[in-house]
Amino acid sequence: MYKDIATPIRTKEILEKYGFSFKKSLGQNFLIDPNILRNIVSHANLTENSGAIEVGPGIGALTEHLAREAKKVVSFEIDQRLLPVLEDTLSPYNNVKIVHSDILKADVEQVIAEEMPGIEDIMVVANLPYYVTTPILMKLLNDRLPIRGFVVMMQKEVADRITAKPGTKAYGSLSIAIQYYVTAEIAMIVPKTVFMPQPNVDSAVIRLIKHETPPVKVIDEDFLFEVSRASFAQRRKTILNNLQNGLVNGKQNKELIIQALAEAGIDPSRRGETLSIQEFGKLSDCLHPAFC
Ligand code: SAM
């Protein structure tokens, strides 16, 4: 077993050796606590036959823990300056592939096909760059990758919104957009002290496991998300009000919205935050003929 990259001493040594300076604009807050890393990886339930996709390996702190548990690790890193560092720090591991790319522009499905042939169990495991947490998650979900799920660190406030249940303050269109694809739970809360440099916000690790079938069947997924976005636009307004303001031609079609709400069994004076994903599904199907 090699000495962990993620101890504060070794991290400092590596940073000094390469004269590396953190770029705040790339969300570079590196983990310096091997216990947290072990904990993150344990939530992914990897086996020696699993594959792990990582976004942003940094200097390889999490990557090496993944490499010890999984058959193959593929890590996407945007910052070219980190490539020689990773070549050095990860040299003990022959099951890691670093892809120099912005994850948002990468053809991840193609990379999985090339780098993980025959691997059936694949998890995304990452300490995400906080400035693009949501776009990264939405891209990876929309790409319909052959993965089991995600174990990812992010700012706690976003983790709360992603995992929120109806009737709570944090519940909103992001909760619906993510929970349509996965079951979502907070796996652990992480203190600021385990990062270098320390971020300004609290962090949490969430676990997302893909549904075998969606929690609700709808005619048009994009329209479901449009209806949920419109319903949460002004949280203190009723669902009827928000749909009138938020749907294209909603104002001219108040009667059709009232009719669709009745058909879906939803009181027009309710607020969006009280509706379950199943109710949003039913409502979007009832609105669909009039608005699509
Ligand atoms: N995994 C390392 C750790 O836990 O110590 C580093 C995590 S750091 C929070 C985020 C990493 O993502 C950085 O290495 C950063 O350069 C990289 N990154 C930022 N934006 C990216 C993007 N769009 N695509 C790929 N990597 C990105």
Side-chain angles (χ1 to χ4, degrees), residues 26-31 54 56-58 77-78 102-103 127 129 131:
L26 290 179
Q28 291 179 336
N29 300 93
F30 295 171
L31 280 165
E54 189 191 15
E77 176 55 62
I78 197 171
D102 178 345
I103 188 71
N127 171 18
Y131 76 105

Side-chain angles (χ1 to χ4, degrees), residues 98 105 190 217 251:
I98 303 292
K105 296 190 181 142
V190 179
K217 268 208 153 59
K251 281 222 168 68

Side-chain angles (χ1 to χ4, degrees), residues 26-31 37 54-62 76-79 82 101-104 127-132 136:
L26 290 179
Q28 291 179 336
N29 300 93
F30 295 171
L31 280 165
L37 288 159
E54 189 191 15
V55 180
I59 59 170
L62 176 59
F76 294 84
E77 176 55 62
I78 197 171
D79 188 347
L82 288 165
S101 168
D102 178 345
I103 188 71
L104 296 175
N127 171 18
L128 292 173
Y130 292 180
Y131 76 105
V132 275
I136 291 175

Side-chain angles (χ1 to χ4, degrees), residues 54 85 117 127 141 155 247 261 264:
E54 189 191 15
V85 185
N127 171 18
L141 286 168
Q155 56 275 56
L247 291 179
L261 283 162

Side-chain angles (χ1 to χ4, degrees), residues 11 70 73-74 79 95 111 122 142 146 150 163 186-187 206 211 215 245-246 258 287:
T11 299
V73 183
V74 178
D79 188 347
N95 58 344
V111 174
I122 302 175
N142 289 328
F150 302 73
T163 58
I186 293 201
I206 63 170
H211 298 303
N245 291 329
I258 291 175
L287 288 163

